[in-house]
Amino acid sequence: MSELHQETVTSVHHWTDRLFTFRTTRDSSLRFRNGEFTMVGIEVDGKPLLRAYSMTSANYEEFLEFYSIKVPDGPLTSRLQHIKVGDKVYVSKKPTGSLLWDHLRPGRHLYLLSTGTGLAPFLSVIKDPDIYENFEKVILAHGCRYINELTYETLITHELQHNEFFGDSIRSKLIYYPAVTREAFRNFGRLNTLIESGKLMTDIGLPALSVEDDRFMVCGGPHMLKTLSGMLADLGFGETRRSDYREFVVERAFVDK
């Protein structure tokens, strides 16, 4: 328990029957970088049951926010989905992660490629003023099965646009590209298909991908990670390994919870 903070749930929002968000208090000693994750959980049979969760909140915000899928038979999420305001959750004191913009070679365009709850770390990243100082464009691409799973669209396209500190940067540099695979939508298809066909870049008005100009962060399910990292490698992009900074980073810490 010495490696964990105990935080109090301050709000819970159920987006769909599969997705929910919860906020907690934040211990003043917790430090993390935007894009990192920590271990989060609850007490089960007298012991903490923990899984990796990215912070959707930025590192300067006074609360912690997490975005979760509901897995009916998941050891943690089958229980966590029933938390209420006032309940206690455990949060690890040692955040970590691979999705750090300065672990990439300098470039012009930063693509944040996510599916499902893999969106979570990028909600933190797009609230980081530093990325707008270091990239000309930041493209947040979020793939889901259904339109109602594009849960944070209002935050991304409206609320952040009016942020008093970096709203100008959001409006001029952030491009949001939602995509759906199982019902009709303006951007229909998987992210790898939309990239390989060139449709994604055409839709957002950017040139074909270039190893010189484009950088990537990738977060999603195991199949998505394998497909997109393989696609990027085939296109000539290299993955950052330890201190050998290259053109893309991938977060591989997550499994179905």
Side-chain angles (χ1 to χ4, degrees):
M1 296 290 193
S2 62
E3 299 300 315
L4 303 172
H5 291 301
Q6 190 175 60
E7 304 292 358
T8 302
V9 176
T10 58
S11 70
V12 182
H13 180 75
H14 294 272
W15 301 96
T16 71
D17 59 358
R18 296 185 66 253
L19 299 166
F20 70 107
T21 290
F22 62 99
R23 286 188 181 184
T24 74
T25 54
R26 174 181 174 177
D27 190 283
S28 59
S29 67
L30 183 69
R31 297 289 183 270
F32 65 92
R33 298 192 62 193
N34 295 316
E36 290 189 322
F37 68 89
T38 192
M39 303 302 290
V40 178
I42 56 177
E43 186 171 310
V44 177
D45 298 328
K47 299 179 181 179
L49 177 61
L50 305 169
R51 293 291 186 273
Y53 276 88
S54 296
M55 280 70 71
T56 70
S57 46
N59 58 2
Y60 51 79
E61 293 182 296
E62 296 181 353
F63 57 87
L64 298 174
E65 184 178 280
F66 304 98
Y67 184 37
S68 181
I69 193 171
K70 304 174 187 179
V71 181
D73 56 352
L76 177 59
T77 59
S78 61
R79 298 175 169 93
L80 193 63
Q81 64 182 294
H82 299 298
I83 59 171
K84 303 180 298 296
V85 171
D87 287 350
K88 303 295 184 181
V89 297
Y90 291 110
V91 176
S92 171
K93 298 177 181 179
K94 297 182 177 180
T96 187
S98 303
L99 301 176
L100 302 173
W101 69 265
D102 57 358
H103 285 195
L104 296 165
R105 291 179 54 232
R108 296 177 61 200
H109 311 134
L110 176 62
Y111 285 83
L112 310 175
L113 306 179
S114 65
T115 54
T117 54
L119 175 70
F122 299 143
L123 294 170
S124 176
V125 169
I126 64 173
K127 290 184 275 188
D128 188 339
D130 286 345
I131 64 167
Y132 303 107
E133 294 294 326
N134 286 275
F135 294 94
E136 295 175 18
K137 293 292 181 182
V138 177
I139 304 92
L140 174 56
H142 183 210
C144 292
R145 300 179 311 164
Y146 301 105
I147 294 170
N148 69 352
E149 295 175 347
L150 300 171
T151 47
Y152 279 88
E153 185 169 17
T154 298
L155 172 74
I156 298 163
T157 60
H158 295 288
E159 295 175 27
L160 292 183
Q161 307 268 339
H162 301 290
N163 182 280
E164 61 179 313
F165 300 110
F166 52 83
D168 288 345
S169 295
I170 293 277
R171 290 191 295 273
S172 63
K173 294 192 172 186
L174 179 66
I175 299 171
Y176 174 57
Y177 191 88
V180 168
T181 60
R182 296 194 183 179
E183 60 181 315
F185 190 65
R186 64 182 183 277
N187 306 321
F188 179 81
R190 298 184 183 280
L191 293 184
N192 62 298
T193 303
L194 293 165
I195 293 171
E196 289 174 319
S197 69
K199 183 179 188 305
L200 192 155
M201 288 73 75
T202 298
D203 287 347
I204 63 178
L206 288 181
L209 297 183
S210 142
V211 174
E212 185 64 30
D213 292 336
D214 299 312
R215 303 294 175 260
F216 302 85
M217 295 182 177
V218 185
C219 190
H223 179 72
M224 177 266 203
L225 297 183
K226 181 179 180 180
T227 300
L228 281 176
S229 59
M231 179 199 73
L232 291 173
D234 289 344
L235 291 171
F237 296 91
E239 181 178 356
T240 291
R241 302 285 190 181
R242 298 183 183 274
S243 59
D244 179 21
Y245 296 165
R246 302 292 295 278
E247 292 80 38
F248 72 93
V249 290
V250 176
E251 186 54 77
R252 292 188 168 86
F254 303 103
V255 295
D256 289 341
K257 299 184 274 294

